[in-house]
Amino acid sequence: MSAQGPDDPAGGTALTSRVVLADANSFFASCEAVFDPSLADRPVVVLSNNDGCVVARNRPAKALGITNGTPWFTIRERAMQDGVVARSSNYELYASLSRRMMAIMAHFLPNQEVYSIDECFMDSIWNDRRTVEICRELRAAVLRSTGIPVSVGVAPTKTLAKVANHWAKDHPSTEGITLWSQVEAQYGDQALASVPVDQVWGVGRRLTGRLMGMGITTALDLRDADPSLIRHRFSVMLQRTVLELRGQPCIGPEGDAARGVRTNQILCSRMFSHPIEGYATLAQALSIYAQKACRRLRRQHGLCGKVQVFCSTSPYAPQQFCAAGRTVVLEDPSDDPLVIAGAASRALKGRVDPHARWIRAGVVLLDLTDADHFHTLEGLDAARDTHGLGDVLEDATRRFGPFRVGVGYGGIRGQGRGDEDTGADWAMNRGMLSPRSTTRWDEMAVAQAR
Amino acid sequence: MVATIHGSPDAAPASLPECRVDALSLFRGHPSPVPQALEAVHAGFPSVAQDYFSGDFSFDQNVIVHPDSTFIIHVAGDSMTGAGIFDGDLLVVDRSLEPREGDIVIAILDDELLVKRLARRNGRTMLRAENPAYPDFLPQEGEELVIWGVVIGNYHWQRVDAKGESRSDSPLPQVTYPGHTPHGRGRTGGQSRKPVYPSTGWGSA
């Protein structure tokens, strides 16, 4: 598969392929500045659903000491004085710019694997020098064409490419591109020793505590740990991380399920802007979330076997706290929005306290199978969407935007520009939403002719 | 080479929320008309055109060379009327292009997007308005012009409609359309001519 770069100075002893990880710098905050030049040098934070917590911040906002996860209301006054601009999450804009950015990068290097909304892995069969040249062009093309700055890490393995990418972001002198072999040549083991173990790809917070207990606090400690011991005490996943830190590629394309790439469930859950009461309103919310989940299911050509719904009241009022949930097994696996939305909205009928004040609800689609490969005994077919409703809904959504049409309450559209635009008064609050300049005709950016 | 921006949504990676920019979706959301069968299955003699027809051309696929770096932007103001760009027009802006002298560009000035023509004067680059009522912009020594993107075209809506003065909706006198024969009069005259060409006997007379 991989081949030697024709100008490789190593002379062709081994087939080497380099892993390139390109990752946008403060992606959400960078997107906000694309059509709004006034944000270029100002501190910008992007807030989570319902304008709750800081989920992204640009470099000036980081310099002010604002950290991700901070509830916005606790810092709002101070931040306003510091000239911080806060924006609600503009998912449509981010997705549009992400797609453009990924498409442009795919022109430069092969085997692109889009890992998240703002990062992708690619392969380079070229030697270090040529790889860096290509990455420099890639970076410039993405910056010029979309306005999004990206950082690039180049290393023998994905895990090291992640480390190199962080290195590029932390060291402005790298100009956004870090070649891991160069860092190693320059700093030796000091480089990995400077990376705390919890920042290593695939090491979660839960593992960090246990690793610390074994005296493993840095990436270097983890690299030098005994792989079979790690496998014994933790998992084969973490053993692979150890090997990857040693430069042996172990994590293939598509990543690993445990790293959260492959989904075999689809979750759609939201907080309401204020508590809701009564079964009817709750059923509306569940129906709408089920339709959102169903759209995602259909996009991945899936069928679902079970629909799980849940709801809960505010955890900040522990005396009245209550939660409910139920899993409905569908008669046949289905991708029919009527079946799925119907199951979700009926699931909790008569099973919840009619006076509870619900603050959150969600729908999970489980037991997913690939619709294209679904075969059963003759006569036992999947409850496919044979009436074509799902396609019509998908078409209408593409043409007129989300929530213009839907099953039941799903099609009622409100006046505001709020996320769901369902007209439901519990829909998400996004008071500081920027224009969706690339996806909504009526929110297009404006150029002054004066 | 044009990437399929209107491709099937399934082609997008599952992790990316579906999104696409319908640049110039002036065809009511269907920029690329879907190929249609020209005939029913039992239509007898098959249509000779069917192997040649694979749908009408798409306006935006032909106008937009780089869909991933092209953005549609609204114009506000009349400083560019001399270049045929009017208030309310839509600009097709390609951000991947290197700005050249004479290009109409979107520049960033005072934290705003501005549309101007890129020109040269006395060896210095400047931004020119295309309407004498508006000033040009000459950067100071050492100051740089930040160009957001290059305008490759604009769309100007020509149809008179609701936004103008009220006009009568009744048909205009002395106006017809090709092929229309009012009052049953044929254009080629009334009486049938005597055939002058010999008949092969093939086909209808």
Side-chain angles (χ1 to χ4, degrees):
Chain A
M1 245 199 59
S2 56
Q4 196 73 33
D7 50 349
D8 196 317
T13 46
L15 291 178
T16 54
S17 168
R18 285 157 186 81
V19 177
V20 175
L21 174 66
D23 184 4
N25 301 351
S26 319
F27 180 62
F28 291 179
S30 298
C31 289
E32 292 292 340
V34 166
F35 293 97
D36 188 350
S38 71
L39 299 183
D41 302 314
R42 298 182 64 181
V44 179
V45 297
V46 176
L47 306 178
S48 60
N49 296 343
N50 284 320
D51 296 339
C53 298
V54 174
V55 290
R57 63 251 197 271
N58 66 356
R59 195 176 284 275
K62 280 176 195 164
L64 285 174
I66 298 174
T67 51
N68 274 347
T70 312
W72 174 237
F73 76 91
T74 63
I75 59 164
R76 182 169 48 208
E77 268 176 51
R78 178 76 205 281
M80 291 302 202
Q81 282 170 14
D82 285 336
V84 175
V85 179
R87 289 285 166 86
S88 308
S89 297
N90 189 343
Y91 302 111
E92 288 186 46
L93 178 69
Y94 308 155
S96 162
L97 291 172
S98 167
R99 190 203 48 75
R100 288 162 176 265
M101 171 177 104
M102 296 301 174
I104 291 166
M105 291 197 281
H107 288 299
F108 288 86
L109 287 166
N111 299 340
Q112 182 184 47
E113 180 196 337
V114 176
Y115 184 70
S116 71
I117 190 164
D118 64 343
E119 59 184 328
C120 66
F121 290 106
M122 288 166 293
D123 285 345
S124 173
I125 55 166
W126 308 101
N127 67 12
D128 283 346
R129 192 172 44 81
R130 181 81 188 104
T131 302
V132 168
E133 265 171 39
I134 294 171
C135 291
R136 208 167 275 144
E137 287 168 29
L138 172 149
R139 220 179 150 263
V142 173
L143 184 60
R144 159 169 268 178
S145 300
T146 65
I148 306 291
V150 294
S151 293
V152 182
V154 184
T157 67
K158 286 184 170 179
T159 307
L160 285 174
K162 277 267 190 188
V163 177
N165 191 289
H166 277 292
W167 189 277
K169 288 203 169 85
D170 293 343
H171 299 79
S173 62
T174 60
E175 295 181 346
I177 300 170
T178 292
L179 196 59
W180 187 245
S181 60
Q182 221 166 54
V183 172
E184 267 192 324
Q186 198 173 343
Y187 298 94
D189 284 351
Q190 284 307 305
L192 278 183
S194 70
V195 179
V197 74
D198 60 331
Q199 282 183 20
V200 175
W201 190 44
V203 178
R205 201 185 306 164
R206 201 173 46 83
L207 290 183
T208 306
R210 288 169 64 197
L211 286 166
M212 296 269 200
M214 294 169 65
I216 298 175
T217 59
T218 69
L220 184 69
D221 298 335
L222 185 59
R223 184 196 76 181
D224 294 339
D226 177 4
S228 47
L229 182 73
I230 291 289
R231 180 181 188 154
H232 183 70
R233 293 228 187 141
F234 296 91
S235 63
V236 68
M237 310 295 302
L238 197 62
Q239 184 195 27
R240 284 185 193 166
T241 301
V242 172
L243 296 174
E244 286 242 327
L245 285 171
R246 296 177 177 193
Q248 294 176 36
C250 308
I251 299 170
E254 304 292 325
D256 294 303
R259 285 168 213 270
V261 179
R262 278 277 112 147
T263 56
N264 44 11
Q265 62 174 45
I266 293 173
L267 165 72
C268 180
S269 116
R270 296 280 188 277
M271 297 268 285
F272 305 131
S273 56
H274 60 85
I276 61 170
E277 272 179 64
Y279 180 73
T281 322
L282 181 63
Q284 284 170 1
L286 290 171
S287 164
I288 286 170
Y289 295 163
Q291 290 173 57
K292 266 174 169 271
C294 184
R295 263 191 90 198
R296 276 191 255 160
L297 176 73
R298 295 174 61 89
R299 221 175 293 150
Q300 70 179 49
H301 274 223
L303 297 171
C304 89
K306 290 179 190 159
V307 178
Q308 187 178 71
V309 300
F310 59 88
C311 56
S312 69
T313 59
S314 171
Y316 298 112
Q319 290 81 20
Q320 288 97 40
F321 181 76
C322 68
R326 190 178 163 218
T327 305
V328 181
V329 181
L330 301 179
E331 276 184 35
D332 298 299
S334 175
D335 64 349
D336 185 338
L338 280 179
V339 171
I340 291 169
S345 57
R346 282 190 298 269
L348 293 177
K349 194 165 191 176
R351 291 166 189 258
V352 292
D353 175 358
H355 301 295
R357 293 164 54 78
W358 307 110
I359 191 69
R360 168 171 217 111
V363 173
V364 195
L365 306 185
L366 298 162
D367 269 12
L368 305 189
T369 46
D370 189 343
D372 300 329
H373 298 112
F374 185 82
H375 296 294
T376 49
L377 296 170
E378 226 165 295
L380 293 171
D381 205 1
R384 296 298 302 276
D385 166 22
T386 46
H387 40 66
L389 180 71
D391 290 335
V392 170
L393 291 178
E394 181 82 9
D395 260 9
T397 302
R398 196 172 316 141
R399 237 167 107 170
F400 303 108
F403 299 99
R404 298 288 184 139
V405 61
V407 179
Y409 197 69
I412 300 178
R413 190 180 169 91
Q415 298 297 311
R417 292 176 60 240
D419 163 76
E420 320 297 79
D421 284 358
T422 48
D425 61 358
W426 43 262
M428 201 198 298
N429 248 328
R430 290 199 300 177
M432 293 165 279
L433 185 65
S434 51
R436 290 165 285 194
S437 306
T438 51
T439 51
R440 299 289 175 113
W441 196 250
D442 51 355
E443 295 180 18
M444 199 183 289
V446 173
Q448 301 295 330
R450 54 174 176 71
Chain B
M1 180 203 60
V2 177
T4 46
I5 50 174
H6 303 290
S8 122
D10 313 307
S15 59
L16 274 183
E18 178 247 315
C19 64
R20 72 204 65 214
V21 173
D22 286 350
L24 285 188
S25 292
L26 299 169
F27 307 112
R28 312 232 169 239
H30 279 289
S32 312
V34 179
Q36 290 175 0
L38 285 180
E39 51 170 359
V41 179
H42 303 293
F45 192 68
S47 163
V48 291
Q50 69 173 354
D51 288 343
Y52 297 89
F53 183 71
S54 56
D56 289 357
F57 62 77
S58 148
F59 186 71
D60 45 325
Q61 278 183 20
N62 283 279
V63 166
I64 296 173
V65 184
H66 305 119
D68 297 322
S69 57
T70 300
F71 297 85
I72 308 298
I73 305 240
H74 211 85
V75 179
D78 52 6
S79 74
M80 294 302 285
T81 50
I85 297 174
F86 297 88
D87 189 33
D89 279 8
L90 301 177
L91 298 177
V92 185
V93 183
D94 190 341
R95 295 195 66 184
S96 69
L97 302 178
E98 185 73 40
R100 289 190 298 229
E101 185 182 352
D103 273 340
I104 290 175
V105 295
I106 303 293
I108 297 177
L109 263 181
D110 298 332
D111 288 345
E112 269 187 326
L113 302 178
L114 270 184
V115 52
K116 295 269 187 188
R117 194 185 292 279
L118 204 54
R120 231 194 296 225
R121 183 184 292 165
N122 305 330
R124 281 163 69 187
T125 313
M126 56 167 310
L127 294 171
R128 210 171 65 205
E130 290 285 352
N131 181 338
Y134 291 86
D136 297 339
F137 178 81
L138 252 153
Q140 302 295 309
E141 200 73 47
E143 195 182 354
E144 285 185 321
L145 293 174
V146 183
I147 304 302
W148 191 88
V150 175
V151 176
I152 59 170
N154 63 306
Y155 185 85
H156 180 72
W157 190 257
Q158 294 286 5
R159 184 81 208 271
V160 289
D161 53 16
K163 74 176 173 182
E165 53 276 35
S166 68
R167 290 180 170 85
S168 160
D169 274 344
S170 59
L172 290 175
Q174 298 174 294
V175 170
T176 183
Y177 53 86
H180 181 56
T181 53
H183 317 304
R185 279 184 285 106
R187 269 217 194 137
T188 49
Q191 66 272 62
S192 57
R193 285 202 219 149
K194 213 171 86 186
V196 290
Y197 298 105
S199 170
T200 58
W202 182 81
S204 55

